PDB file of all heavy atoms in Angstrom:
ATOM      1  N   ALA V 210      14.043   4.705   6.466  1.00 97.00           N
ATOM      2  CA  ALA V 210      14.885   5.300   7.545  1.00 97.00           C
ATOM      3  C   ALA V 210      15.871   4.191   7.865  1.00 97.00           C
ATOM      4  O   ALA V 210      16.967   4.565   8.487  1.00 97.00           O
ATOM      5  CB  ALA V 210      14.001   5.639   8.693  1.00 97.00           C
ATOM      6  N   TYR V 211      15.479   2.982   7.852  1.00 97.00           N
ATOM      7  CA  TYR V 211      16.461   1.831   8.333  1.00 97.00           C
ATOM      8  C   TYR V 211      17.538   1.476   7.288  1.00 97.00           C
ATOM      9  O   TYR V 211      18.345   0.607   7.524  1.00 97.00           O
ATOM     10  CB  TYR V 211      15.568   0.634   8.746  1.00 97.00           C
ATOM     11  CG  TYR V 211      14.501   1.006   9.630  1.00 97.00           C
ATOM     12  CD1 TYR V 211      13.137   0.886   9.261  1.00 97.00           C
ATOM     13  CD2 TYR V 211      14.786   1.551  10.865  1.00 97.00           C
ATOM     14  CE1 TYR V 211      12.135   1.289  10.154  1.00 97.00           C
ATOM     15  CE2 TYR V 211      13.693   1.913  11.688  1.00 97.00           C
ATOM     16  CZ  TYR V 211      12.399   1.761  11.341  1.00 97.00           C
ATOM     17  OH  TYR V 211      11.404   2.170  12.225  1.00 97.00           O
ATOM     18  N   MET V 212      17.546   2.033   6.099  1.00 97.00           N
ATOM     19  CA  MET V 212      18.422   1.722   5.031  1.00 97.00           C
ATOM     20  C   MET V 212      19.324   2.840   4.749  1.00 97.00           C
ATOM     21  O   MET V 212      18.922   4.097   4.853  1.00 97.00           O
ATOM     22  CB  MET V 212      17.767   1.346   3.723  1.00 97.00           C
ATOM     23  CG  MET V 212      16.748   0.183   3.930  1.00 97.00           C
ATOM     24  SD  MET V 212      15.713   0.023   2.403  1.00 97.00           S
ATOM     25  CE  MET V 212      16.770   0.083   1.015  1.00 97.00           C
ATOM     26  N   SER V 213      20.520   2.608   4.171  1.00 97.00           N
ATOM     27  CA  SER V 213      21.344   3.737   3.740  1.00 97.00           C
ATOM     28  C   SER V 213      20.736   4.495   2.635  1.00 97.00           C
ATOM     29  O   SER V 213      19.870   3.925   1.952  1.00 97.00           O
ATOM     30  CB  SER V 213      22.721   3.295   3.350  1.00 97.00           C
ATOM     31  OG  SER V 213      22.642   2.526   2.073  1.00 97.00           O
ATOM     32  N   MET V 214      21.051   5.772   2.520  1.00 97.00           N
ATOM     33  CA  MET V 214      20.374   6.581   1.391  1.00 97.00           C
ATOM     34  C   MET V 214      20.859   5.929   0.012  1.00 97.00           C
ATOM     35  O   MET V 214      20.116   5.933  -0.964  1.00 97.00           O
ATOM     36  CB  MET V 214      20.949   8.005   1.495  1.00 97.00           C
ATOM     37  CG  MET V 214      20.057   9.017   0.825  1.00 97.00           C
ATOM     38  SD  MET V 214      20.464  10.652   1.135  1.00 97.00           S
ATOM     39  CE  MET V 214      21.447  10.952  -0.263  1.00 97.00           C
ATOM     40  N   GLU V 215      22.118   5.417  -0.035  1.00 97.00           N
ATOM     41  CA  GLU V 215      22.579   4.824  -1.258  1.00 97.00           C
ATOM     42  C   GLU V 215      21.699   3.615  -1.698  1.00 97.00           C
ATOM     43  O   GLU V 215      21.244   3.503  -2.822  1.00 97.00           O
ATOM     44  CB  GLU V 215      24.081   4.305  -1.129  1.00 97.00           C
ATOM     45  CG  GLU V 215      25.143   5.433  -0.940  1.00 97.00           C
ATOM     46  CD  GLU V 215      25.011   6.135   0.476  1.00 97.00           C
ATOM     47  OE1 GLU V 215      24.680   5.418   1.386  1.00 97.00           O
ATOM     48  OE2 GLU V 215      25.348   7.355   0.430  1.00 97.00           O
ATOM     49  N   ALA V 216      21.412   2.798  -0.703  1.00 97.00           N
ATOM     50  CA  ALA V 216      20.636   1.599  -0.991  1.00 97.00           C
ATOM     51  C   ALA V 216      19.246   1.965  -1.408  1.00 97.00           C
ATOM     52  O   ALA V 216      18.697   1.470  -2.449  1.00 97.00           O
ATOM     53  CB  ALA V 216      20.618   0.616   0.204  1.00 97.00           C
ATOM     54  N   SER V 217      18.674   2.994  -0.772  1.00 97.00           N
ATOM     55  CA  SER V 217      17.267   3.342  -1.155  1.00 97.00           C
ATOM     56  C   SER V 217      17.268   4.097  -2.502  1.00 97.00           C
ATOM     57  O   SER V 217      16.333   3.819  -3.313  1.00 97.00           O
ATOM     58  CB  SER V 217      16.508   4.104  -0.038  1.00 97.00           C
ATOM     59  OG  SER V 217      17.269   5.286   0.288  1.00 97.00           O
ATOM     60  N   SER V 218      18.290   4.856  -2.834  1.00 98.00           N
ATOM     61  CA  SER V 218      18.279   5.531  -4.090  1.00 98.00           C
ATOM     62  C   SER V 218      18.431   4.511  -5.245  1.00 98.00           C
ATOM     63  O   SER V 218      17.750   4.528  -6.214  1.00 98.00           O
ATOM     64  CB  SER V 218      19.453   6.466  -4.206  1.00 98.00           C
ATOM     65  OG  SER V 218      19.446   7.450  -3.232  1.00 98.00           O
ATOM     66  N   THR V 219      19.328   3.452  -4.921  1.00 97.00           N
ATOM     67  CA  THR V 219      19.464   2.447  -5.958  1.00 97.00           C
ATOM     68  C   THR V 219      18.162   1.736  -6.273  1.00 97.00           C
ATOM     69  O   THR V 219      17.737   1.434  -7.388  1.00 97.00           O
ATOM     70  CB  THR V 219      20.513   1.388  -5.502  1.00 97.00           C
ATOM     71  OG1 THR V 219      21.657   2.183  -5.175  1.00 97.00           O
ATOM     72  CG2 THR V 219      20.781   0.402  -6.586  1.00 97.00           C
ATOM     73  N   LEU V 220      17.348   1.485  -5.203  1.00 98.00           N
ATOM     74  CA  LEU V 220      16.053   0.786  -5.315  1.00 98.00           C
ATOM     75  C   LEU V 220      15.052   1.697  -6.039  1.00 98.00           C
ATOM     76  O   LEU V 220      14.382   1.226  -7.068  1.00 98.00           O
ATOM     77  CB  LEU V 220      15.582   0.456  -3.848  1.00 98.00           C
ATOM     78  CG  LEU V 220      14.408  -0.386  -3.723  1.00 98.00           C
ATOM     79  CD1 LEU V 220      14.613  -1.764  -4.418  1.00 98.00           C
ATOM     80  CD2 LEU V 220      14.040  -0.606  -2.216  1.00 98.00           C
ATOM     81  N   LEU V 221      14.996   2.965  -5.659  1.00 98.00           N
ATOM     82  CA  LEU V 221      14.080   3.966  -6.371  1.00 98.00           C
ATOM     83  C   LEU V 221      14.466   3.939  -7.915  1.00 98.00           C
ATOM     84  O   LEU V 221      13.636   3.867  -8.726  1.00 98.00           O
ATOM     85  CB  LEU V 221      14.087   5.217  -5.757  1.00 98.00           C
ATOM     86  CG  LEU V 221      13.566   5.356  -4.331  1.00 98.00           C
ATOM     87  CD1 LEU V 221      13.746   6.743  -3.739  1.00 98.00           C
ATOM     88  CD2 LEU V 221      12.023   5.088  -4.292  1.00 98.00           C
ATOM     89  N   GLU V 222      15.721   4.044  -8.177  1.00 98.00           N
ATOM     90  CA  GLU V 222      16.253   4.099  -9.553  1.00 98.00           C
ATOM     91  C   GLU V 222      15.770   2.944 -10.335  1.00 98.00           C
ATOM     92  O   GLU V 222      15.478   2.874 -11.494  1.00 98.00           O
ATOM     93  CB  GLU V 222      17.728   4.342  -9.649  1.00 98.00           C
ATOM     94  CG  GLU V 222      18.102   5.852  -9.390  1.00 98.00           C
ATOM     95  CD  GLU V 222      19.535   5.958  -9.028  1.00 98.00           C
ATOM     96  OE1 GLU V 222      20.347   4.894  -8.788  1.00 98.00           O
ATOM     97  OE2 GLU V 222      20.018   7.105  -8.823  1.00 98.00           O
ATOM     98  N   TRP V 223      15.905   1.770  -9.648  1.00 97.00           N
ATOM     99  CA  TRP V 223      15.512   0.516 -10.347  1.00 97.00           C
ATOM    100  C   TRP V 223      13.997   0.601 -10.748  1.00 97.00           C
ATOM    101  O   TRP V 223      13.666   0.195 -11.895  1.00 97.00           O
ATOM    102  CB  TRP V 223      15.709  -0.724  -9.463  1.00 97.00           C
ATOM    103  CG  TRP V 223      15.417  -2.001 -10.277  1.00 97.00           C
ATOM    104  CD1 TRP V 223      16.297  -2.670 -11.025  1.00 97.00           C
ATOM    105  CD2 TRP V 223      14.128  -2.636 -10.328  1.00 97.00           C
ATOM    106  NE1 TRP V 223      15.609  -3.838 -11.577  1.00 97.00           N
ATOM    107  CE2 TRP V 223      14.311  -3.672 -11.229  1.00 97.00           C
ATOM    108  CE3 TRP V 223      12.871  -2.424  -9.762  1.00 97.00           C
ATOM    109  CZ2 TRP V 223      13.193  -4.650 -11.496  1.00 97.00           C
ATOM    110  CZ3 TRP V 223      11.802  -3.213 -10.145  1.00 97.00           C
ATOM    111  CH2 TRP V 223      12.025  -4.385 -10.981  1.00 97.00           C
ATOM    112  N   PHE V 224      13.335   1.009  -9.943  1.00 97.00           N
ATOM    113  CA  PHE V 224      11.707   1.118 -10.314  1.00 97.00           C
ATOM    114  C   PHE V 224      11.512   2.144 -11.409  1.00 97.00           C
ATOM    115  O   PHE V 224      10.711   1.884 -12.282  1.00 97.00           O
ATOM    116  CB  PHE V 224      10.886   1.467  -9.036  1.00 97.00           C
ATOM    117  CG  PHE V 224      10.570   0.240  -8.236  1.00 97.00           C
ATOM    118  CD1 PHE V 224      11.254   0.013  -7.019  1.00 97.00           C
ATOM    119  CD2 PHE V 224       9.560  -0.685  -8.537  1.00 97.00           C
ATOM    120  CE1 PHE V 224      10.966  -1.124  -6.236  1.00 97.00           C
ATOM    121  CE2 PHE V 224       9.306  -1.689  -7.772  1.00 97.00           C
ATOM    122  CZ  PHE V 224       9.904  -1.964  -6.592  1.00 97.00           C
ATOM    123  N   ILE V 225      12.275   3.190 -11.417  1.00 97.00           N
ATOM    124  CA  ILE V 225      12.102   4.214 -12.445  1.00 97.00           C
ATOM    125  C   ILE V 225      12.521   3.632 -13.802  1.00 97.00           C
ATOM    126  O   ILE V 225      11.927   3.655 -14.805  1.00 97.00           O
ATOM    127  CB  ILE V 225      12.844   5.502 -12.190  1.00 97.00           C
ATOM    128  CG1 ILE V 225      12.178   6.126 -10.968  1.00 97.00           C
ATOM    129  CG2 ILE V 225      12.824   6.389 -13.393  1.00 97.00           C
ATOM    130  CD1 ILE V 225      12.335   7.605 -10.865  1.00 97.00           C
ATOM    131  N   GLY V 226      13.695   3.002 -13.672  1.00 96.00           N
ATOM    132  CA  GLY V 226      14.314   2.219 -14.923  1.00 96.00           C
ATOM    133  C   GLY V 226      13.307   1.363 -15.469  1.00 96.00           C
ATOM    134  O   GLY V 226      13.114   1.238 -16.713  1.00 96.00           O
TER     135      GLY V 226
END
Side-chain angles (χ1 to χ4, degrees):
Y211 308 115
M212 300 167 51
S213 71
M214 202 172 98
E215 292 70 31
S217 56
S218 298
T219 308
L220 191 55
L221 292 172
E222 278 161 358
W223 183 87
F224 276 101
I225 294 209

